Amino acid sequence: MALTISVITCTWNSETYLPESIASVLAQDHPNIEYIFVDGGSTDGTLDQIRALKRPYRLLENVQGGVSRAMNEGLRAATGDVIAYLHSDDYYLQPNVLSRVAQLLESSGKGWLFGRTMALIDGKLHADNYVAPRFSFANLLRGNFIPHPATFVRRNLMMRAGGFNTALKYAMDYDLWLKLAKMGEPVQLDDALAAFREHEGSLSSSSRTRLAAMAEDFRVRLSYSSKNPVERLAHYARYFVRRRRVIHSKGHA
């Protein structure tokens, strides 16, 4: 029997983009999908859109405390073999994404998998021109190259990792990937599996936010690095070079 994949979508006043996200899940050819919505108290048409679904779903309402807590609540509610997080403004690019993920996880015996994303900007998809390095803990420690909506993790591994750190505002994904990396190597795909929508509401939409996110990433990185002074100095050097680029980039606020 094919693995059951729990798709967890966190929402908050998401009526503008949610239909496209839902449509991409409904189009999947995988036979075993558990669909879970975690809503933070929407006051627009989000809940009406969810309740109009003609297929089984689970809705957790009024989950307060930020996106990390919402994702953890979705994890606690999930019963599937594999956990997938698809935010309300993102969507899967092909109808065979979940069936392909399930097949690769089963055939490889590995605990998690990640692919690539395409950026959706002003209604147009843009290829990810970034060439991700081959996975290793050392490479991941140099910088996060794992995209959230294209990552799939066996539920038992997610539970062992403890889910997302709710004390983090930006680097909760990166922190989780580093935990998972210590537990086992993932399947790495170079294909785009999901579209990531970039718009004014995105967390990464301003230089000031990017600097705050970089600083939190850096703190997480140091917490997983060795005490070797040469290695730590290299992390500091990379951080200050990246920070300088953002500060001097056009549009810094």
Side-chain angles (χ1 to χ4, degrees), residues 10-248:
C10 299
T11 59
W12 183 73
N13 289 343
S14 305
E15 67 175 351
T16 302
Y17 303 120
L18 182 59
E20 197 167 13
S21 181
I22 288 176
S24 77
V25 176
L26 298 183
Q28 294 299 304
D29 61 12
H30 188 65
N32 303 324
I33 300 173
E34 178 183 53
Y35 208 175
I36 299 171
F37 296 90
V38 186
D39 188 75
S42 291
T43 55
D44 62 357
T46 297
L47 297 178
D48 292 334
Q49 290 175 357
I50 295 169
R51 292 182 179 124
L53 280 171
K54 298 293 193 290
R55 57 144 293 151
Y57 65 89
R58 184 166 182 187
L59 171 60
L60 309 181
E61 296 187 56
N62 295 310
V63 177
Q64 307 294 319
V67 67
S68 293
R69 180 167 182 268
M71 291 190 292
N72 286 341
E73 289 299 313
L75 172 62
R76 277 189 275 272
T79 63
D81 305 295
V82 178
I83 302 297
Y85 289 97
L86 185 70
H87 287 329
S88 57
D89 47 1
D90 303 332
Y91 60 88
Y92 294 126
L93 288 167
Q94 303 93 18
N96 68 339
V97 168
L98 298 186
S99 57
R100 186 182 180 198
V101 166
Q103 187 275 322
L104 286 169
L105 285 175
E106 284 190 292
S107 62
S108 68
K110 293 184 177 180
W112 59 305
L113 173 152
F114 71 92
R116 306 309 309 159
T117 58
M118 295 183 75
L120 185 67
I121 305 172
D122 297 328
K124 293 183 180 179
L125 283 171
H126 298 263
D128 182 3
N129 294 320
Y130 171 71
V131 179
R134 293 300 88 190
F135 178 87
S136 70
F137 185 80
N139 281 339
L140 185 59
L141 201 57
R142 292 188 188 100
N144 183 15
F145 53 87
I146 299 180
H148 180 105
T151 302
F152 304 82
V153 187
R154 289 184 187 265
R155 183 166 59 91
N156 59 358
L157 195 63
M158 280 287 288
M159 298 301 284
R160 280 175 54 201
F164 295 91
N165 183 346
T166 57
L168 298 172
K169 184 176 180 180
Y170 305 104
M172 55 279 211
D173 288 358
Y174 189 31
D175 177 68
L176 178 61
W177 308 153
L178 287 165
K179 286 181 190 174
L180 295 174
K182 288 199 161 207
M183 297 179 185
E185 187 173 307
V187 177
Q188 179 175 3
L189 298 178
D190 294 321
D191 304 336
L193 304 180
F196 173 80
R197 192 183 304 269
E198 294 187 12
H199 53 81
E200 285 303 312
S202 300
L203 275 178
S204 57
S205 60
S206 75
S207 297
R208 185 176 289 112
T209 299
R210 286 175 63 197
L211 287 172
M214 286 176 61
E216 191 170 271
D217 266 19
F218 179 59
R219 291 194 295 272
V220 166
R221 184 173 299 115
L222 284 184
S223 72
Y224 285 90
S225 68
S226 75
K227 302 303 180 186
N228 182 299
V230 175
E231 180 183 328
R232 293 177 77 83
L233 183 61
H235 287 311
Y236 273 96
R238 277 190 290 268
Y239 168 65
F240 284 114
V241 168
R242 291 166 181 167
R243 186 175 185 276
R244 184 180 177 85
R245 285 176 186 157
V246 172
I247 290 172
H248 291 281

